[in-house]
Amino acid sequence: MIRVITVVGVLGFVTSVAAQGTEVAFGTVQQDTSLPVEVSAETLSVSQTDGSALFTGDVVIGQGDMRLSAPRVLVFYTQDQTGIERLEATGGVTLVNADQAAEADTAEYEVNRGTIRMVGNVLLTQGANTLVSDTMDVDLENGTARMNGRVRTVFQSGDE
């Protein structure tokens, strides 16, 4: 899903880290989760019974500077049908926010809470720096993310 995230600070060394939980900055600007959500896809199927919409085929979701893309996104609307409650993206997801990106197998975006949970083969990169983990929880309002499950990273020195 999402491939790039801001790594805290400029690092002047090369290292490799294995940890269970790592906090990182995400986004150079906090995301305004009240902005409209725009969706484009090849096909759309709407279910009147559970209040959901299934977008398939090159799905791209935009909200402000943030873009989420996946082959399949299931959208759940609020009970009063006036807004989006959450999005479930599957099939390989990419999340881009400003100059950062991250990728994972799946992602769930809870719009009203301003959180995104990415699961499975999470990869974040910023420039030459990379972070890999099993899961990543992004708080868009605070501009932070927490990576969990065998976190690995390689920081490149600035002397290249």
Side-chain angles (χ1 to χ4, degrees):
M1 254 210 180
I2 304 181
R3 278 244 192 273
V4 177
I5 268 188
T6 301
V7 177
V8 179
V10 176
L11 302 173
F13 58 92
V14 177
T15 186
S16 179
V17 177
Q20 272 305 97
T22 301
E23 297 258 350
V24 295
F26 182 82
T28 54
V29 183
Q30 294 172 328
Q31 171 67 23
D32 182 355
T33 57
S34 68
L35 293 172
V37 176
E38 181 180 331
V39 181
S40 65
E42 298 296 323
T43 62
L44 166 63
S45 301
V46 178
S47 171
Q48 298 300 325
T49 58
D50 67 357
S52 67
L54 176 62
F55 292 89
T56 57
D58 297 323
V59 183
V60 177
I61 297 171
Q63 186 180 39
D65 289 336
M66 185 177 71
R67 297 287 177 268
L68 184 144
S69 60
R72 179 183 185 277
V73 176
L74 187 57
V75 177
F76 293 93
Y77 295 96
T78 56
Q79 285 187 347
D80 62 5
Q81 301 290 311
T82 61
I84 296 174
E85 182 178 325
R86 75 178 190 280
L87 307 168
E88 294 178 357
T90 58
V93 183
T94 300
L95 176 66
V96 178
N97 190 7
D99 62 346
Q100 303 162 57
E103 292 183 3
D105 296 337
T106 65
E108 183 172 318
Y109 177 19
E110 294 191 41
V111 178
N112 291 338
R113 292 180 57 199
T115 60
I116 299 174
R117 179 165 180 83
M118 301 185 79
V119 177
N121 301 306
V122 178
L123 171 63
L124 286 63
T125 59
Q126 180 187 24
N129 301 322
T130 61
L131 289 151
V132 178
S133 69
D134 296 332
T135 66
M136 178 176 72
D137 295 299
V138 179
D139 182 332
L140 294 170
E141 293 180 13
N142 293 326
T144 60
R146 180 165 181 84
M147 301 186 75
N148 291 296
R150 195 65 183 159
V151 178
R152 297 168 308 280
T153 185
V154 175
F155 299 111
Q156 300 296 326
S157 71
D159 302 331
E160 292 184 30

